[in-house]
Amino acid sequence: MRTTKKALARCTGVAVLGGGALIGGVGVFGSTAAHADAGCQAYGATSAVAAKEVQAACAEVDKGTPYSWSGGHKAAPGPSTGQIYDVPPEYYDDRNKVGLDCSGLVRWAYYEASGTDFGPVSTYDFDSALTSHGFSRVDAPTQPGDVIVWDGHTAIYLGSGLMAQAEGDDAGLNVRTVASHGGTPTGVYRPGGGTTTPPPPSGGSKVFKDVWATAPSVNNPTNGAVVGTLNKGSNYFYCQTQGSETSYAGYHNDWWLKTDDDSGNANVWVNATYVSGGVDDGQIPGVPTC
């Protein structure tokens, strides 16, 4: 983790400390090192909105979304290009790197869960931003979905002493024990029971499939313009529909899958020729139709 500039102040790093910190007199960091590589999921019961918030954050962790300094702080929530981080001896140029920083991840996860955007604010402004958007202050993170805020860093509590976070350029998005961050949080915030209907896409839940080659994404499945790329690897899709016939590497298909690409574009389309498991002019098994 890293030391940050207060002016940008999004994901500060601090030295890893042993032991537990206290919030309101309650110990919150009881967990073992064995949990460090545990799966990204909710450990325990929570509200519907908080459960969706955890699912959305874990989708980015599982997908391998990159860390990008100031990523997720454009006008609209979601992965985006970042800025230069220059605090000697470290230097990162994330201006062409699409991803999320710590507060960008929390913003995106809550937007995916609730349909409400609390804005591109830094962690230093989280208290007013969260409490004015349905969050309540609590003494300690005890339910999955609780947002933990430190001086310059934030993460989403998963339960069982674990958190999902965007840690830094080197560590990326990951699951760690809360204790691994060290220091005492400045606040813990619990999302409300719901505000608005979560935003589309129309396809419903996400289905993960393997993308065997980096694919261009388009804004429309019928003669759409290329708007970005979807990287090779495991990616999620919402649904699929028929559109223009496309060929790639000897394969051809007129089925298109809706997804969010790795260029920061939401609800775009990738042709089925790039997705493993299909046949020429056939649907990808397991992905619902739009």
Side-chain angles (χ1 to χ4, degrees):
M1 290 189 270
R2 312 180 305 190
T3 304
T4 56
K5 296 177 180 177
K6 183 95 173 184
L8 291 176
R10 297 207 171 107
C11 299
T12 275
V14 297
V16 175
L17 303 176
L22 296 176
I23 304 176
V26 180
V28 301
F29 296 153
S31 61
T32 65
H35 284 298
D37 296 321
C40 195
Q41 64 183 68
Y43 294 87
T46 191
S47 70
V49 167
K52 291 178 181 178
E53 177 192 32
V54 169
Q55 288 177 341
C58 288
E60 301 302 327
V61 173
D62 293 340
K63 184 180 178 181
T65 296
Y67 178 93
S68 180
W69 172 255
S70 195
H73 290 267
K74 303 294 186 185
S80 69
T81 53
Q83 300 178 15
I84 291 175
Y85 175 86
D86 185 12
V87 177
E90 296 181 273
Y91 178 90
Y92 300 96
D93 186 350
D94 291 343
R95 290 176 296 179
N96 296 309
K97 187 178 179 184
V98 176
L100 296 162
D101 70 6
C102 61
S103 46
L105 174 63
V106 174
R107 178 195 183 194
W108 175 236
Y110 185 65
Y111 174 75
E112 285 276 89
S114 68
T116 295
D117 177 20
F118 60 73
V121 297
S122 76
T123 54
Y124 294 97
D125 299 313
F126 257 35
D127 184 79
S128 59
L130 296 183
T131 55
S132 65
H133 286 86
F135 287 75
S136 58
R137 298 183 187 91
V138 294
D139 290 335
T142 58
Q143 293 184 15
D146 289 351
V147 175
I148 310 169
V149 181
W150 287 270
D151 187 13
H153 186 59
T154 185
I156 296 174
Y157 188 61
L158 302 178
S160 193
L162 300 172
M163 63 182 179
Q165 64 174 355
E167 185 175 355
D169 279 271
D170 295 330
L173 275 59
N174 56 45
V175 174
R176 296 283 188 265
T177 61
V178 177
S180 68
H181 184 79
T184 302
T186 59
V188 180
Y189 303 85
R190 183 161 297 160
T195 47
T196 63
T197 301
S202 59
S205 60
K206 299 172 180 177
V207 178
F208 281 82
K209 293 290 179 179
D210 182 65
V211 176
W212 67 274
T214 297
S217 60
V218 301
N219 60 4
N220 190 300
T222 303
N223 298 318
V226 173
V227 294
T229 57
L230 184 68
N231 294 336
K232 177 181 177 181
S234 178
N235 287 279
Y236 60 79
F237 298 96
Y238 298 110
C239 59
Q240 57 186 328
T241 191
Q242 284 184 291
S244 302
E245 180 87 10
T246 292
S247 298
Y248 178 74
Y251 301 98
H252 55 85
N253 210 305
D254 59 356
W255 282 90
W256 293 79
L257 291 83
K258 180 183 283 189
T259 186
D260 306 323
D261 67 20
D262 292 302
S263 301
N265 301 302
N267 298 333
V268 292
W269 301 86
V270 169
N271 190 261
T273 54
Y274 295 91
V275 182
S276 299
V279 296
D280 286 344
D281 291 327
Q283 293 177 263
I284 299 298
V287 181
T289 55
C290 298

